[in-house]
Amino acid sequence: MADRYILTLDFGGAELKHVLFALGTGEILHEHPNPEGPFYRPDPAKSRCILDGHLEDVPRKDRVSRHLAVETTRILNEWGVAPGRIAGIGISVAGKVLCSGQGRRVATFIGAQTPPAFTVAGPYGQRCVNTTGGLLKQFPRIPILIGNDCNSTGDMQSLAYEALGTDPATTFFITIGQGFGGGGPNMDVDEVGHVKVFGVHPAVRLRCGCGDWNCAEAFASGTGFPKFARRLLLLYRTRPATLAAVSRYERLGGRLAADQDLKTMIRTSPLRTARPLDAVAIFRCASLGRPGGDAFARYLVRTAADMTGHVLASVANVHGLRVFGMGGGVARNNPRYVKMIHAAGNRLIGKANKLMPGGITVELSPLGALANDYGPASLVLKQHFRRHVPAWIRTMRQLAAKAKTPRGKTRT
Ligand SMILES: [Zn+2]
């Protein structure tokens, strides 16, 4: 039999990545990352995106679907791969999927950052992006499916867990990179980072990227950590009485010890002058697992771990989940932080809890850094090529064992 392939597209707002896999083994044969995705904005002030200047004879509402088809043809050509060899296409999107494309229907989704001009009206009037119209014409017989990026990864991860003897339906992928998201084989709870946290002093209330307040992501993500730190630093500089009130509140809540106070912690913290003040600097100062870490940085990290543990324990309870595999730069670069989340989640699940005996497991994803690349392949693999799954799992586990954790790479 001639070689056949699965093609995946990782379609984020600001990047578009094509990957070609061998259908029978799951080996990666070609990759084409393009950091300037369709909605990439070289000049945010003008709010123009790449697609504003491309394919100008095509109406904007059809431009995404046409762009994906044109780019795919161009890249297959570049690789020297005949379109007839493609057995299925899986596309991960950064947004909510309205139609996944089952039965070769046109797949649609909507993202929080999608420019409205590029959307069409869905069956119930909601705006959505025509994603696969062009590809369906170009590939007239094969399955072409889309999935939320975290759900796709969670789906592929569940296959890896199944191979390890864990019920795949109880597993879930969490990514903590620039953002905080998640997804699993049940294709739900992908907006897990927007669960609200409580017990936050009103002076430390934080705005989330989604527009709302006090989501877990606003404190406990690559963008959240520095926001959280900056708020407390601002109180230190401009509102010392309020900072003292926050300290009292945190002592009452058990998040600070009786002899700790934020003013003293901040005064001696290198974070006060750290440039840039980002998640990397905060974790470096916290120096988890080693003596002598900065108390303020450790307070930020511990509070975020407690919030995240709370979110995961709650989600586990509601959805019957047991195992959380973590990815994303913040998690992968800080395995100690993952352990803290595991401990925080399990502190909330009582020993007598009959619904969740044994609590939850929070650990680094068995897919390691490969999670994002392999995710969208699961969309077609699981439904149409189930017999190849064991070979794919073997390949992924070999690759994950070989790969070293890349440092400093984060993903929303
Ligand atoms: Zn939010």
Side-chain angles (χ1 to χ4, degrees), residues 61-329:
K61 65 183 177 55
D62 299 325
R63 227 176 266 182
V64 170
S65 121
R66 183 71 71 84
H67 175 70
L68 294 182
V70 169
E71 276 294 280
T72 300
T73 306
R74 189 180 68 74
I75 289 164
L76 287 181
N77 244 326
E78 200 179 293
W79 290 340
V81 171
R85 296 266 182 252
I86 306 294
I89 300 178
I91 304 173
S92 60
V93 296
K96 252 194 191 326
V97 171
L98 281 88
C99 172
S100 67
Q102 298 285 355
R104 286 188 47 88
R105 286 192 293 154
V106 172
T108 55
F109 82 100
I110 185 74
Q113 314 288 333
T114 311
F118 296 96
T119 63
V120 294
Y124 303 104
Q126 72 283 56
R127 307 305 301 179
C128 58
V129 179
N130 167 356
T131 314
T132 57
L135 287 167
L136 285 166
K137 282 196 200 111
Q138 199 178 329
F139 297 88
R141 275 180 295 276
I142 61 170
I144 303 178
L145 297 167
I146 74 171
N148 166 273
D149 47 9
C150 288
N151 281 144
S152 309
T153 306
D155 199 33
M156 187 56 103
Q157 178 184 263
S158 78
L159 296 176
Y161 271 122
E162 190 173 22
L164 295 168
T166 302
D167 177 358
T170 65
T171 69
F172 198 78
F173 175 71
I174 290 284
T175 176
I176 303 184
Q178 287 305 305
F180 177 158
N186 306 325
M187 295 290 159
D188 55 9
V189 277
D190 40 317
E191 298 298 346
V192 67
H194 301 286
V195 171
K196 301 284 187 279
V197 293
F198 60 90
V200 175
H201 189 281
V204 191
R205 198 170 82 119
L206 292 180
R207 192 88 185 243
C208 177
C210 73
D212 211 336
W213 298 87
N214 284 0
C215 299
E217 180 176 298
F219 297 85
S221 66
T223 49
F225 276 109
K227 227 187 301 194
F228 186 19
R230 264 187 232 114
R231 172 61 59 84
L232 290 166
L233 291 170
L234 181 72
L235 295 179
Y236 173 83
R237 284 197 306 272
T238 61
R239 291 163 62 194
T242 307
L243 186 68
V246 173
S247 286
R248 279 197 300 280
Y249 184 84
E250 292 299 272
R251 282 194 293 270
L252 278 173
R255 291 175 290 273
L256 285 180
D259 60 347
Q260 278 185 311
D261 108 284
L262 287 166
K263 186 178 156 193
T264 318
M265 287 156 70
I266 292 174
R267 194 174 53 224
T268 55
S269 173
L271 289 177
R272 210 153 52 88
T273 52
R275 299 287 179 279
L277 175 54
D278 55 12
V280 174
I282 291 168
F283 276 97
R284 193 177 49 234
C285 289
S287 186
L288 300 177
R290 270 170 254 132
D294 173 50
F296 177 50
R298 285 192 170 180
Y299 161 79
L300 298 171
V301 169
R302 197 176 54 242
T303 305
D306 285 349
M307 288 171 169
T308 308
H310 159 73
V311 169
L312 299 194
S314 309
V315 166
N317 230 327
V318 174
H319 292 273
L321 303 173
R322 292 288 309 279
V323 181
F324 294 88
M326 311 261 302

Side-chain angles (χ1 to χ4, degrees), residues 300-383:
L300 298 171
V301 169
R302 197 176 54 242
T303 305
D306 285 349
M307 288 171 169
T308 308
H310 159 73
V311 169
L312 299 194
S314 309
V315 166
N317 230 327
V318 174
H319 292 273
L321 303 173
R322 292 288 309 279
V323 181
F324 294 88
M326 311 261 302
V330 170
R332 283 211 313 277
N333 293 334
N334 302 288
R336 289 252 171 200
Y337 180 57
V338 175
K339 288 204 168 97
M340 288 168 75
I341 297 170
H342 172 86
N346 283 298
R347 274 199 298 276
L348 293 170
I349 302 167
K351 292 245 183 314
N353 187 327
K354 292 195 215 44
L355 297 174
M356 301 174 70
I360 56 174
T361 299
V362 183
E363 61 188 12
L364 285 170
S365 172
L367 297 185
L370 300 166
N372 295 326
D373 280 347
Y374 273 88
S378 77
L379 298 168
V380 276
L381 189 66
K382 222 167 105 172
Q383 287 182 34

Side-chain angles (χ1 to χ4, degrees), residues 16-38:
L16 175 64
K17 183 173 184 181
H18 285 71
V19 182
L20 190 77
F21 297 89
L23 173 63
T25 63
E27 271 173 278
I28 293 180
L29 303 171
H30 291 285
E31 292 178 71
H32 188 286
N34 180 357
E36 295 182 0

